[in-house]
């Protein structure tokens, strides 16, 4: 029997967060942190609402998961995020020692792998999970944004 809690399941939850960001005029990036098939942190971009350039979905999800666990390390946890993390978020993920990062669409302009960021040596990285869905949401957002300006 197939485990219903696979990477696609959790990435769909991250995409739901990205949709909330989209509806609120934020760049549609969503993230969830899961451990033992349970979501312990969920977030979406809040940079516009909070007027804070550090309020990326990943940063918010790390904080929520850390609060849930009562500690700063995310050992045994997986971060699911709809867009490849930027260098800032990769740095925070490095320090959190998250065990796994699963992302949807690559960020060919600002992603940590393009800019030269690095992850903790023990962190496993998986890309391209529901990539098309994540990329489509971002495309829709930026088309809509261009048409409003």
């Amino acid at each position: 029997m197939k485990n219903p809690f696979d990477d696609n399941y959790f990435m769909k939850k991250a995409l739901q967060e990205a949709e909330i960001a989209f509806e609120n005029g934020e760049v549609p990036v969503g993230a969830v942190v899961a451990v033992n098939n349970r979501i312990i942190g969920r977030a979406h971009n809040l940079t516009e609402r909070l007027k804070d350039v550090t309020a990326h979905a990943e940063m918010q999800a790390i904080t929520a998961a850390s609060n849930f666990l009562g500690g700063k390390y995310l050992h045994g946890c997986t971060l699911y995020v709809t867009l490849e993390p930027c260098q800032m978020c990769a740095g925070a993920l490095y320090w959190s020692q998250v065990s796994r990062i699963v992302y949807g669409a690559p960020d060919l302009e600002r992603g940590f792998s393009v800019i030269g960021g690095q992850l903790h040596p023990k962190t496993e990285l998986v890309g391209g999970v529901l990539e098309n869905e994540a990329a489509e949401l971002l495309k829709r957002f930026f088309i809509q944004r261009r048409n409003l300006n």
Side-chain angles (χ1 to χ4, degrees), residues 71-85:
K72 61 184 178 179
Y73 296 118
L74 300 180
H75 299 142
C77 296
T78 300
L79 171 82
Y80 294 88
V81 61
T82 57
L83 182 65
E84 175 188 355

Side-chain angles (χ1 to χ4, degrees), residues 3 11 18 48 68 70 97 106 125 133 136 139 145-146:
N3 180 359
M11 187 59 74
E48 298 299 325
F68 179 88
Q97 298 180 22
L125 181 66
E133 293 87 335
E136 183 57 37
K139 285 179 196 168
R145 192 177 210 181
R146 276 193 296 276

Side-chain angles (χ1 to χ4, degrees), residues 87-116:
Q87 186 173 10
M88 174 187 68
C89 292
L93 291 161
Y94 177 99
W95 290 109
S96 78
Q97 298 180 22
V98 69
S99 295
R100 243 174 124 234
I101 299 170
V102 177
Y103 68 86
D107 187 342
L108 302 176
E109 292 181 25
R110 295 185 177 97
F112 81 93
S113 62
V114 174
I115 294 181

Side-chain angles (χ1 to χ4, degrees), residues 25 59 62-63 80 83 106 110 126 128 131 134 139-140:
M59 304 293 273
I62 290 167
T63 299
Y80 294 88
L83 182 65
R110 295 185 177 97
V126 177
E131 177 179 346
K139 285 179 196 168
R140 264 193 310 137

Side-chain angles (χ1 to χ4, degrees), residues 13 16-17 31-33 39-44 57 60-61 64-65:
K13 297 298 182 185
Q16 289 173 355
E17 289 293 321
V32 299
V33 176
I39 294 174
I40 62 168
R42 62 176 66 232
H44 52 273
Q60 303 299 312

